[in-house]
Amino acid sequence: MPAAGHTAASAGAEDASVELYGVVCPWLVPRLAVLPSPVRGIRQVVPGCLSAPAGVVTPVFCNVLGVEALLAWERVVQQRQLTAAVAAAAAATVVAATTHRASPESSSHNPLVRPAGTSVGDAGCGAVVQEALELFRKAAMAAAACHGGYVVAVSADGGHWVLVFGAASSAVRWGLDMLDAMLGMPWPDGLLDHELTEEVYEGGALVKRGLRLRIGADRGCAMLRPVPRTGRLDYVGRPMNRAARIAAKAKAATMFVTGAVWDMARDFLERPVSASCLGLSQLKGVREQVELWALRSVSARAAPAAAIATAAGDSAETAAAAAAGADAAAVGRVGAC
């Protein structure tokens, strides 16, 4: 029973999307590979297993740095807000009762009620981290659909992703798009107060803001196997293991790829990329050493330079020169090893 993917009735009906399954006889499944899409009359939001890449693929592992710590911090903040709200509600009740006893003749005009905004339900305990993870999920799914990626697995907390791409350049584009999206994401209020999500500038450029992603990618042959419970595909093989190790080794807000990925993708990228060769690295559980490259989008690093320089009192010409210099410096690092 292969999954046909998520579909939506209209282009703007994201909330109305449903997951469809096609039930066929096992001996007829191979024919689906040569038949047109079984989905007609509606828009496919997320590709199904029939659209998944096979053979030589580029697996990508993406982890949100410290997602467990962020969720624990959120629970502590919510508990503190709830405790403060309970204390405020109790204090307001005592004050109202005292006022009621002091002026009994006005009891008909001053009933014993709790002032608005002092109830436990008005505590305002927002799930800031969960809201941020939901924004990240929507961005990751949209970018995967844009670049032809197949989402293999997502952790329960939404902080760990596994995707597979047919082309190395598509995998790199997805990773760079996600790193750029984190810098401009409309994060909920309070998220940037944590040290794992605060804004960080380097040389007058914004390099970290919001959730920190650690992305790793490799390329090679992987085997596919269907998961009977979900109808989706799972990938196994050495490229999957290496990509997971590379993502664990990657620094915050950076994408690490192997030399095989970079060699296949470098000539097909439309954007300038800051690529730094890290040499040969030994990965845990991998016998041979692997050449790693650290990738960052140039535009994401240099774009805020003009705004920062202008805010500091410099002229527009000086600000533009600073941005151009940052671009030139980043471009100069492309391909350096």
Side-chain angles (χ1 to χ4, degrees):
M1 185 171 62
H6 291 267
T7 60
S10 62
E14 180 181 355
D15 296 337
S17 62
V18 296
E19 190 169 7
L20 299 181
Y21 291 83
V23 181
V24 296
C25 298
W27 52 86
L28 295 179
V29 171
R31 296 188 178 184
L32 297 178
V34 296
L35 293 177
S37 174
V39 181
R40 297 194 304 252
I42 49 180
R43 182 175 62 91
Q44 191 177 52
V45 180
V46 179
C49 63
L50 298 179
S51 303
V56 179
V57 297
T58 305
V60 175
F61 280 68
C62 178
N63 303 321
V64 176
L65 177 64
V67 62
E68 294 83 5
L70 289 172
L71 290 172
W73 168 70
E74 179 183 64
R75 289 191 292 269
V76 171
V77 172
Q78 288 178 336
Q79 184 61 38
R80 290 176 178 175
Q81 292 178 344
L82 183 60
T83 303
V86 171
T93 302
V94 172
V95 171
T98 303
T99 305
H100 176 73
R101 289 195 299 268
S103 54
E105 67 281 356
S106 59
S107 58
S108 59
H109 303 286
N110 297 307
L112 183 58
V113 294
R114 179 176 295 154
T118 60
S119 66
V120 176
D122 297 330
C125 302
V128 177
V129 178
Q130 296 181 30
E131 292 178 10
L133 289 172
E134 177 62 17
L135 291 174
F136 165 62
R137 183 195 68 81
K138 292 181 179 180
M141 295 297 293
C146 177
H147 298 298
Y150 183 78
V151 179
V152 179
V154 182
S155 63
D157 56 20
H160 307 278
W161 288 61
V162 182
L163 304 94
V164 171
F165 296 82
S169 57
S170 298
V172 172
R173 291 191 193 99
W174 182 89
L176 296 179
D177 283 353
M178 292 307 302
L179 295 179
D180 289 350
M182 297 302 100
L183 298 179
M185 190 72 69
W187 298 118
D189 295 338
L191 180 70
L192 303 182
D193 295 339
H194 198 279
E195 60 182 0
L196 290 177
T197 55
E198 63 184 359
E199 294 182 345
V200 176
Y201 292 86
E202 292 181 3
L206 180 64
V207 295
K208 297 176 184 177
R209 180 179 178 274
L211 299 180
R212 275 42 163 179
L213 304 185
R214 303 165 65 188
I215 306 175
D218 188 29
R219 184 166 178 81
C221 293
M223 295 183 296
L224 291 79
R225 59 184 182 187
V227 181
R229 183 177 61 86
T230 63
R232 297 186 62 81
L233 296 178
D234 188 20
Y235 290 76
V236 294
R238 292 183 178 180
M240 307 298 295
N241 180 47
R242 288 195 295 263
R245 302 298 185 185
I246 293 170
K249 197 179 185 66
K251 297 181 179 180
T254 307
M255 182 177 187
F256 280 14
V257 302
T258 59
V261 174
W262 180 238
D263 290 341
M264 292 289 296
R266 64 193 308 169
D267 295 332
F268 298 95
L269 300 177
E270 299 80 7
R271 68 174 72 184
V273 179
S274 172
S276 303
C277 181
L278 306 178
L280 298 177
S281 301
Q282 189 67 52
L283 303 177
K284 183 179 180 181
V286 180
R287 179 179 303 177
E288 66 278 2
Q289 293 184 335
V290 179
E291 181 186 21
L292 295 181
W293 288 74
L295 306 183
R296 278 187 178 181
S297 177
V298 172
S299 58
R301 292 175 56 88
I308 294 173
T310 303
D314 293 342
S315 63
E317 293 78 9
T318 305
D327 283 338
V331 173
R333 291 192 297 271
V334 174
C337 181

